[in-house]
Amino acid sequence: MNIKIAKTAEEKKQAYDVRTSVFVKEQQVPPEEELDEFDETAIHFVGFMDEHPIAASRLRFVEEYGKLERICILKEYRGKSFGRAMMEAMEATIKEKGYFKAKLNAQTHAEEFYKKLGYHTVSGEFMDAGIPHVTMIKELQ
């Protein structure tokens, strides 16, 4: 998978299309909750397989954290380490920007995945878009 930071309107649209497929169509998140006011200023990542967008995420900087958000892989491409690759790309960008802490709100079914990548749960369970989540953080080396 080739991961790019979305620079053009078309690349951002590709990221939004992957997010819509995963969150809106698959997980039934309302479209108005999936695309929000933070999309305008966030850094968007798109993962490509043979020029076809298969993964997306966004990164924002909030307080002392790089906040990893909207991390998703199209269903047919899961289980192939693409999620790990997206996380590594985002963490590298966080460090390039001079931050050394990462934070994310994980869907509880993905909590173990993030723990394997060094994240620690720092909250109780809460609902976001009708889906149970926990907040997780990681100190970046």
Side-chain angles (χ1 to χ4, degrees):
M1 179 174 68
N2 178 32
I3 300 170
K4 292 170 125 179
I5 291 177
K7 300 282 189 203
T8 67
E10 177 59 25
E11 289 168 343
K12 284 183 183 178
K13 181 187 178 309
Q14 290 169 320
Y16 298 156
D17 288 347
V18 172
R19 287 171 45 188
T20 298
S21 292
V22 173
F23 296 121
V24 177
K25 293 177 182 166
E26 182 184 332
Q27 297 184 350
Q28 304 300 305
V29 172
E32 62 275 9
E33 287 186 46
E34 171 47 32
L35 299 175
D36 63 22
E37 69 275 13
F38 300 119
D39 282 316
E40 210 47 49
T41 56
I43 299 170
H44 296 273
F45 294 76
V46 189
F48 294 91
M49 182 64 69
D50 300 322
E51 304 303 314
H52 178 70
I54 65 160
S57 61
R58 79 176 186 194
L59 174 62
R60 296 188 305 124
F61 295 93
V62 180
E63 298 165 354
E64 74 268 28
Y65 292 95
K67 191 160 187 286
L68 296 78
E69 302 175 324
R70 307 300 203 269
I71 304 155
C72 58
I73 312 293
L74 293 178
K75 194 172 201 168
E76 59 270 28
Y77 293 96
R78 293 180 197 151
K80 301 177 185 333
S81 297
F82 296 142
R84 174 183 291 274
M86 290 294 283
M87 294 295 291
E88 289 170 355
M90 295 174 78
E91 289 174 359
T93 301
I94 291 169
K95 290 191 287 188
E96 286 169 12
K97 300 287 185 184
Y99 290 76
F100 295 95
K101 293 181 182 180
K103 183 180 202 175
L104 56 85
N105 291 332
Q107 293 183 9
T108 54
H109 72 83
E111 188 175 2
E112 287 305 313
F113 166 76
Y114 294 115
K115 281 183 179 179
K116 289 177 186 169
L117 298 178
Y119 286 80
H120 304 282
T121 304
V122 295
S123 77
E125 190 174 297
F126 61 92
M127 298 299 281
D128 186 8
I131 300 167
H133 284 71
V134 291
T135 299
M136 304 182 81
I137 61 171
K138 178 181 179 180
E139 297 282 336
L140 303 177
Q141 304 301 339

